[in-house]
Amino acid sequence: MTEQELSVRTKKELAKEEHTRAGRTFMPDVDIYETPDKLWLWADMPGVDEKSVDVSLADGVLAISGQVALQEYDNLNPVYTEYRVGNYQRRFTLSDRIDSTRITARITNGVLELELPKAEAAKPRKIAVAAQ
């Protein structure tokens, strides 16, 4: 293993926005993968389930947010902790190369998966060459 594989990452807390809900809000880590037909996005949101996640698209901005049940931690006095508990929020600006009408989302074990199909005009295509 390299040193990078063993490094500890800290969560990035959102500080610029005001929130109406108590507690901290973090920017979830994401992985984005591109295929010829679509983009895949996975966001790590531990403690979030299908009832507490929200995905919306408005004016070309895809917003994801997740609420963690903070009351479960109210009377907890840990001796040591490396994991900070909080809500999640992140936004992405989508290009017109994404077919926004066919975006799908699902969450499994705190990992939000988004499937972002490309618009037909954005997909690579083979152009037939005619002989004269």
Side-chain angles (χ1 to χ4, degrees):
M1 283 188 203
T2 66
E3 183 176 314
Q4 184 177 12
E5 292 173 338
L6 297 174
S7 66
V8 176
R9 297 194 56 198
T10 57
K11 289 182 178 179
K12 295 177 188 169
E13 185 172 354
L14 295 177
K16 293 182 180 178
E17 298 181 23
E18 304 250 348
H19 300 281
T20 57
R21 185 169 183 212
R24 297 174 180 205
T25 300
F26 298 100
M27 182 183 332
D29 290 334
V30 300
D31 290 327
I32 299 174
Y33 182 75
E34 182 176 12
T35 68
D37 297 330
K38 58 189 79 167
L39 293 176
W40 292 92
L41 183 149
W42 294 277
D44 292 337
M45 303 169 80
V48 175
D49 61 18
E50 71 278 1
K51 296 174 188 163
S52 59
V53 67
D54 184 60
V55 180
S56 63
L57 179 66
D59 298 327
V61 176
L62 177 73
I64 60 174
S65 63
Q67 309 295 318
V68 174
L70 300 174
Q71 61 273 17
E72 294 178 14
Y73 301 92
D74 280 349
N75 297 321
L76 191 64
N77 293 316
V79 175
Y80 176 77
T81 180
E82 291 184 346
Y83 180 81
R84 298 188 310 170
V85 177
N87 302 311
Y88 299 94
Q89 185 175 24
R90 193 150 180 187
R91 293 186 172 96
F92 301 90
T93 301
L94 298 183
S95 75
D96 57 356
R97 299 172 58 97
I98 299 296
D99 184 349
S100 61
T101 63
R102 297 190 305 135
I103 295 173
T104 60
R106 69 185 135 267
I107 191 162
T108 306
N109 297 327
V111 178
L112 176 65
E113 178 183 88
L114 293 171
E115 181 179 355
L116 305 145
K118 291 181 181 176
E120 287 301 318
K123 292 181 181 177
R125 63 186 178 105
K126 185 96 175 160
I127 298 172
V129 177
Q132 292 187 358

